[in-house]
Amino acid sequence: MSSLPTLTPIKNQSQVRRSLWFERGMAMIASANLLLVLFDLSYIPLRNFWLQGRITIPLLNQTIKVPLPPIAKWYDPIKGIEPHRDTQKYLDRVEELENQISQTPLRSPQVEVILQDLRSRSVEMIDSNPFELANKTGTLERIKNKMREHVFNRTDASAKESFRRFWSQNYLATGSPKQELAFFNGEIRPLIETNYYRPIGENGEFIDLFWSIDLLFVLLFGLEFLARTWLISRRHTGVSWRDAMLWRWYDIFLILPFSLVPYLRYCLLLRIIPVTIRLNQAKLIDLERIQQQVSQGFVAAIAEDVTEVVVVRVINQVQSSIREGDMARLLSKREVRPYVDINNTDEVAALTTLMTQLVVHRVLPKIQPDVEALLQHNLDKAIKQSPAYQTLEQLPGLVGLQHQLTERLARDITQAVYEGLNAAIEEDPVGEELFKRLIEHLSEAVGTEMQAKQTLQRVQSLLTDLLEEIKINYVERMSEQDLEEILEQTRAIRQIAQQ
């Protein structure tokens, strides 16, 4: 008596709970790393938003300004961003003007010196375009347009002349200096503040220290990857450490330091793959339905082509075999290639014997009354058409004799045939040998007649044309079937099998 197979012990609930919490913790860390990557890649395009330091939310008839943490102040050093010297000195000079106006009259010599310096700096800013390095030339155009509209009420005026006029005692004296400076601080200053300077490193790229933050995550996930794959190789028999690494192939994207290579920085987005898989494994999200839809769409996209190609390939192979004479060699029992027998059994003879036994022992006893009735009907019909019977029928006492005779004769014939066949397939060596000889002679006779040149060519031509018609008429129908319905039926069968 064979022993029962040893079952692997099932983890208790506490082990499962600890494992799940560990998976969730690492999944959350991976998600945080992915969010940090997305923030880093989008920081430069969205720096103006973070620089504003607030979110404006329209609410009913008023707007609410929600302050934000000083993200730009914290993260600018990571990206190597520092204030541009020219634009920053320009803004500092405007602050000096405000302080001077608050201490002395507008038309004092001290104010005029500052205004003259601002006029020259404005012209220099337009000519040198300090916004170009930060790829903010469009910001400079907005500044010039706003100044044209404010000073001359039109956008086709000279930008330089607009700044010269704005930074003059006469223009500031026509209205309120505080009001004009409020316009500058509210409309022009925020645009100038968005400009920055970013030094270039020895590799020809902008300095970026994000790798120093990302390297901490890379080291953490690298250690986890080595420990996890080692445990997998230890727990599963026949799984090497390398196989375990291939098992966790998606974690590779978490440990490759793409942030060190500027040209590969956007490859960090590939971490979406391991993060998504980890969230699903930690049961924080459910991707089963999405996986079904994705696999269904993929299978539906290729199933039609694959089905058509496979069926056409099979039919072409059969046609090629017929044209090359494999059918003739089969009928003549000549094999060009050696035939491989896997069980030392003549399957054709065995199947023939099995089917004969099935017919004799199971089928014939059930249809014997019908065979007798059909045979009796034919005998009655043949006897009635005989002239001798028509003469004997006129004799008295012979009217029912014909029916009795045909009934007895039909029963005897069917019984004789049944007993003969039954005796031929029973444990009778002579009958079995005669039955095998009959099968052999039958197959030889059919093969000899089929090898006739005209017959063989006709059969080959008909079979080839039939297969070609099948390709044209039926293969296209197979490819036009509703693959969605087939896939749904396959899924339902799988669910039933699982239950």
Side-chain angles (χ1 to χ4, degrees):
M1 183 176 179
S2 60
S3 60
L4 294 175
T6 303
L7 299 178
T8 304
I10 301 176
K11 293 183 178 180
N12 55 41
Q13 294 296 329
S14 60
Q15 290 177 332
V16 173
R17 192 178 299 109
R18 285 196 300 268
S19 176
L20 181 60
W21 277 112
F22 174 78
E23 293 291 343
R24 288 181 176 179
M26 296 305 299
M28 295 303 295
I29 295 176
S31 301
N33 175 245
L34 178 61
L35 292 177
L36 184 60
V37 167
L38 296 176
F39 171 77
D40 179 78
L41 295 177
S42 63
Y43 179 75
I44 297 298
L46 299 179
R47 181 177 177 272
N48 292 351
F49 170 76
W50 299 114
L51 190 64
Q52 291 177 0
R54 64 181 182 276
I55 300 177
T56 303
I57 302 176
L59 183 63
L60 298 178
N61 296 328
Q62 58 182 355
T63 57
I64 301 177
K65 296 182 179 180
V66 180
L68 295 176
I71 302 296
K73 182 179 179 180
W74 296 340
Y75 208 74
D76 276 354
I78 300 297
K79 306 300 288 185
I81 293 176
E82 56 188 51
H84 196 283
R85 288 175 295 181
D86 295 339
T87 54
Q88 186 62 38
K89 288 181 179 179
Y90 188 94
L91 296 177
D92 293 341
R93 200 61 171 162
V94 173
E95 292 181 359
E96 293 179 8
L97 176 63
E98 292 178 330
N99 295 331
Q100 192 63 43
I101 291 176
S102 63
Q103 297 175 5
T104 60
L106 177 61
R107 294 188 179 275
S108 63
Q110 295 86 348
V111 173
E112 178 59 28
V113 171
I114 299 176
L115 290 175
Q116 184 178 0
D117 184 56
L118 285 173
R119 289 194 294 267
S120 61
R121 288 182 181 276
S122 299
V123 174
E124 182 182 359
M125 181 176 64
I126 294 174
D127 291 336
S128 63
N129 187 11
F131 295 82
E132 184 177 6
L133 184 62
N135 196 24
K136 289 184 174 295
T137 302
T139 302
L140 178 59
E141 293 301 320
R142 291 181 60 190
I143 293 172
K144 293 192 293 185
N145 289 333
K146 285 181 175 293
M147 189 59 72
R148 292 188 188 107
E149 292 178 357
H150 181 73
V151 176
F152 293 107
N153 293 325
R154 55 192 179 94
T155 58
D156 57 346
S158 171
K160 295 179 181 180
E161 186 60 30
S162 300
F163 275 99
R164 290 194 189 100
R165 184 176 180 182
F166 183 81
W167 298 120
S168 65
Q169 291 179 336
N170 293 333
Y171 182 79
L172 295 176
T174 55
S176 171
K178 292 184 179 180
Q179 184 176 358
E180 295 300 329
L181 292 175
F183 159 76
F184 179 87
N185 292 328
E187 300 292 336
I188 306 300
R189 178 183 286 272
L191 296 177
I192 297 178
E193 286 178 343
T194 61
N195 190 36
Y196 59 84
Y197 174 75
R198 195 176 181 190
I200 298 177
E202 294 181 357
N203 58 355
E205 298 292 331
F206 290 116
I207 291 179
D208 193 337
L209 302 179
F210 174 70
W211 63 268
S212 61
I213 300 176
D214 187 63
L215 188 60
L216 300 176
F217 290 95
V218 171
L219 293 176
L220 173 63
F221 290 118
L223 293 175
E224 185 224 7
F225 179 75
L226 294 176
R228 188 188 290 270
T229 52
W230 182 79
L231 287 175
I232 291 175
S233 65
R234 298 280 293 179
R235 290 177 179 176
H236 298 272
T237 305
V239 178
S240 63
W241 200 354
R242 184 180 61 180
D243 295 335
M245 292 181 180
L246 295 177
W247 193 335
R248 301 281 301 189
W249 61 269
Y250 47 86
D251 284 338
I252 298 295
F253 298 120
L254 290 174
I255 61 179
L256 290 178
F258 292 121
S259 56
L260 292 175
V261 184
Y263 299 104
L264 300 178
R265 190 156 295 153
Y266 280 94
C267 292
L268 292 169
L269 295 176
L270 292 174
R271 294 182 181 179
I272 295 176
I273 298 174
V275 170
T276 304
I277 296 176
R278 283 170 174 261
L279 290 175
N280 182 58
Q281 292 174 346
K283 298 181 180 180
L284 295 175
I285 60 174
D286 186 7
L287 297 180
E288 182 178 357
R289 190 62 183 173
I290 298 177
Q291 182 180 359
Q292 289 181 357
Q293 294 299 325
V294 172
S295 60
Q296 181 171 334
F298 176 75
V299 172
I302 67 173
E304 180 177 343
D305 294 335
V306 171
T307 302
E308 188 171 349
V309 168
V310 170
V311 175
V312 172
R313 175 65 176 168
V314 171
I315 294 177
N316 288 340
Q317 187 67 31
V318 175
Q319 288 179 319
S320 177
S321 298
I322 293 175
R323 294 191 185 101
E324 293 175 359
D326 288 350
M327 179 179 177
R329 289 192 292 271
L330 180 63
L331 293 174
S332 62
K333 298 185 179 179
R334 297 195 308 269
E335 290 291 341
V336 179
R337 295 182 296 273
Y339 185 79
V340 179
D341 191 354
I342 62 175
N343 56 3
N344 297 323
T345 303
D346 188 353
E347 286 81 5
V348 177
L351 288 173
T352 303
T353 302
L354 180 62
M355 293 304 296
T356 304
Q357 291 177 351
L358 179 64
V359 171
V360 172
H361 292 299
R362 300 291 182 86
V363 178
L364 284 181
K366 295 181 180 180
I367 65 173
Q368 185 175 354
D370 298 327
V371 174
E372 292 178 359
L374 178 62
L375 184 59
Q376 182 180 355
H377 170 73
N378 290 327
L379 289 174
D380 288 339
K381 185 177 180 180
I383 291 176
K384 288 181 180 179
Q385 293 177 354
S386 174
Y389 173 76
Q390 294 177 358
T391 302
L392 293 174
E393 190 179 16
Q394 297 177 359
L395 298 176
L398 296 179
V399 177
L401 181 62
Q402 172 262 340
H403 181 72
Q404 296 176 1
L405 180 62
T406 55
E407 182 179 1
R408 180 63 180 271
L409 186 59
R411 185 183 304 110
D412 292 342
I413 292 174
T414 54
Q415 187 67 25
V417 172
Y418 174 74
E419 291 178 355
L421 292 175
N422 192 19
I425 63 175
E426 291 293 340
E427 297 298 331
D428 182 5
V430 178
E432 184 178 357
E433 183 65 27
L434 292 175
F435 183 75
K436 288 183 178 180
R437 187 184 304 173
L438 172 63
I439 297 299
E440 291 177 359
H441 289 169
L442 178 62
S443 61
E444 289 177 0
V446 174
T448 302
E449 294 300 325
M450 289 291 293
Q451 290 181 57
K453 184 175 181 180
Q454 294 181 352
T455 303
L456 183 60
Q457 291 179 350
R458 180 61 175 168
V459 171
Q460 290 178 345
S461 176
L462 289 175
L463 287 176
T464 304
D465 294 341
L466 175 62
L467 292 172
E468 191 67 28
E469 291 177 0
I470 290 175
K471 285 195 298 185
I472 297 174
N473 294 284
Y474 296 102
V475 174
E476 183 64 25
R477 292 183 184 178
M478 292 174 61
S479 62
E480 291 177 354
Q481 288 182 354
D482 188 359
L483 295 175
E484 295 290 340
E485 182 179 355
I486 295 176
L487 293 174
E488 191 65 29
Q489 294 175 359
T490 304
R491 187 181 299 108
I493 293 173
R494 188 183 300 114
Q495 292 177 354
I496 293 174
Q498 291 176 354
Q499 294 175 358

